[in-house]
Amino acid sequence: MFEPLKETVALLKTYGDEMPEEIHQQLQNLPELWDNNKRLCLRVAENAAPLQAAEAAVLRQKGQ
């Protein structure tokens, strides 16, 4: 997923535009951080599902 970014940085380097070391380090860490973020989103969705179901039940009762 982040290969196009790495390729762009490499292309810029061929034209003499060197990126700071911080950028290279961020590109190395980005896939792991992205995976952590996806896992966090899944956990939040799992935790919110019962609350959403309870709210839907309340709304159904009010609608009847």
Side-chain angles (χ1 to χ4, degrees), residues 8-64:
T8 301
V9 168
L11 179 64
L12 288 171
K13 185 177 180 179
T14 63
Y15 287 103
D17 193 7
E18 184 65 37
M19 294 288 138
E21 184 59 35
E22 178 184 344
I23 299 295
H24 294 286
Q25 188 63 34
Q26 288 175 346
L27 283 173
Q28 293 295 324
N29 296 337
L30 205 53
E32 180 182 346
L33 293 172
W34 181 251
D35 287 339
N36 291 342
N37 194 34
K38 288 192 299 187
R39 280 189 230 110
L40 176 62
C41 288
L42 289 173
R43 282 197 308 259
V44 168
E46 288 173 359
N47 290 338
L51 299 172
Q52 289 176 327
E55 186 65 23
V58 167
L59 292 174
R60 266 190 234 105
Q61 286 178 343
K62 284 183 181 180
Q64 292 176 355

